[in-house]
Amino acid sequence: MNANYKNWVPNGMIGAFSAGTALLGAASAVLMCTGLAPKAKAVIAGTVGAGALACGAMLAWSAYAHGKFSYSGKRQLSKEIVEGTAEYITLPEGGRGLDVGCGSGALTIACAKRNPQGRMTGIDRWGKEYASFSKQLCEDNSDAEGVNNTEFYQGDACKLDYPDEYFDAVTSNYVYHNITGVDKQELLRETLRVLKKGGSFAIHDIMSKGRYGDMQQFVRELRYQGFEKVELIDTTNGKFMSRGEAAILGLGGSSLLVGIK
């Protein structure tokens, strides 16, 4: 059995845009053949045709993004990001790591494979917005990878159910920008709260100023608080992707916050 980490752009999205493009295109053509007054016909057919073009554009984007993110495709961007983020996570002998928003378990498992001497815990809310992701999927993927040092639980990134300084490492990938109505820097602080002194962290997300505020100031604050090492790495300048690729995919501003507490 092979691991199935899913695609960030599901097949259902591509199918929906394909159907929408075809139906609206056909409707526009049919309207042009009706007995409506020419002016009304032009307005209605034009509106429906514009909808078909919009659906077509979204179809083109979703097909492009699906190919980029596919684990079995040529680009394998998701895999590159996951494995590149996992490189910053180190567990001591018998140590414990936490992956916040584990989804299909990809990053949790990647960290566990790199740290067989420790154990990784993945948590996620697995809400209806991501119905194809589940705890069972994570466990199945872990089994498929031959990894036995993982565990998965339902959890809330806004309020982690763990005491201060509980984990030897914490990580997350493209999670916090999806959480609305919450200060993103507070989410980072909550994640770092459960990290032990001397523990490693790697948090990757779309850390644009509009979403996260002044992240350079946040880095300075962590250093002032005594963090041993803090670095903010732009991952759209060739680290994981090019700026053009990031812009097309809607990932502009992607950055890795890494270091040691």
Side-chain angles (χ1 to χ4, degrees):
M1 181 179 70
N2 295 322
N4 179 15
Y5 292 119
K6 301 290 183 178
N7 195 299
W8 292 346
V9 179
N11 291 326
M13 178 184 292
I14 297 175
F17 285 129
S18 296
T21 301
L23 288 172
L24 289 171
S28 180
V30 169
L31 282 167
M32 292 302 294
C33 299
T34 63
L36 291 171
K39 186 175 182 179
K41 183 189 297 185
V43 171
I44 296 173
T47 301
V48 175
L53 288 174
C55 272
M58 290 306 298
L59 171 60
W61 177 87
S62 59
Y64 171 83
H66 187 278
K68 292 288 185 179
F69 294 135
S70 174
Y71 267 76
S72 59
K74 183 178 180 179
R75 177 64 175 88
Q76 297 188 348
L77 179 57
S78 294
K79 183 178 181 181
E80 182 177 344
I81 291 171
V82 164
E83 293 186 352
T85 302
E87 289 179 3
Y88 292 91
I89 295 301
T90 302
L91 295 176
E93 187 70 36
R96 297 174 294 203
L98 176 69
D99 179 27
V100 181
C102 60
S104 60
L107 181 55
T108 315
I109 293 167
C111 292
K113 290 173 74 173
R114 292 182 62 87
N115 293 275
Q117 73 283 1
R119 189 167 188 82
M120 285 296 300
T121 297
I123 64 165
D124 202 296
R125 62 185 295 269
W126 294 301
K128 60 182 180 180
E129 305 92 333
Y130 300 94
S132 63
F133 295 83
S134 66
K135 177 181 179 180
Q136 187 62 57
L137 175 64
C138 293
E139 292 173 345
D140 290 345
N141 284 337
S142 192
D143 289 341
E145 295 280 12
V147 173
N148 58 12
N149 58 329
T150 59
E151 54 191 12
F152 301 94
Y153 302 103
Q154 192 163 33
D156 183 358
C158 299
K159 189 175 182 180
L160 298 174
D161 191 24
Y162 299 100
D164 295 353
E165 300 191 357
Y166 186 78
F167 291 98
D168 298 283
V170 291
T171 189
S172 184
N173 181 44
Y174 281 141
V175 174
Y176 302 147
H177 73 276
N178 290 312
I179 304 175
T180 59
V182 180
D183 183 282
K184 301 301 185 289
Q185 292 189 13
E186 287 303 314
L187 285 173
L188 294 175
R189 290 188 180 93
E190 173 63 6
T191 301
L192 295 172
R193 175 186 66 79
V194 301
L195 180 63
K196 292 179 181 179
K197 185 67 175 176
S200 58
F201 59 93
I203 301 171
H204 188 234
D205 199 15
I206 305 174
M207 296 183 182
S208 59
K209 190 169 185 178
R211 286 187 170 94
Y212 272 79
D214 188 342
M215 281 300 293
Q216 293 297 338
Q217 177 60 32
F218 183 77
V219 167
R220 288 192 290 270
E221 290 175 4
L222 293 184
R223 290 171 178 164
Y224 179 77
Q225 292 167 14
F227 277 64
E228 182 178 333
K229 178 183 177 182
V230 187
E231 187 177 2
L232 188 65
I233 304 170
D234 182 355
T235 59
T236 69
N237 61 356
K239 172 70 174 178
F240 294 150
M241 67 199 96
S242 67
R243 295 202 187 282
E245 191 175 39
I248 294 172
L249 293 170
L251 301 177
S254 292
S255 299
L256 256 174
L257 181 69
V258 301
I260 298 172
K261 189 172 183 180

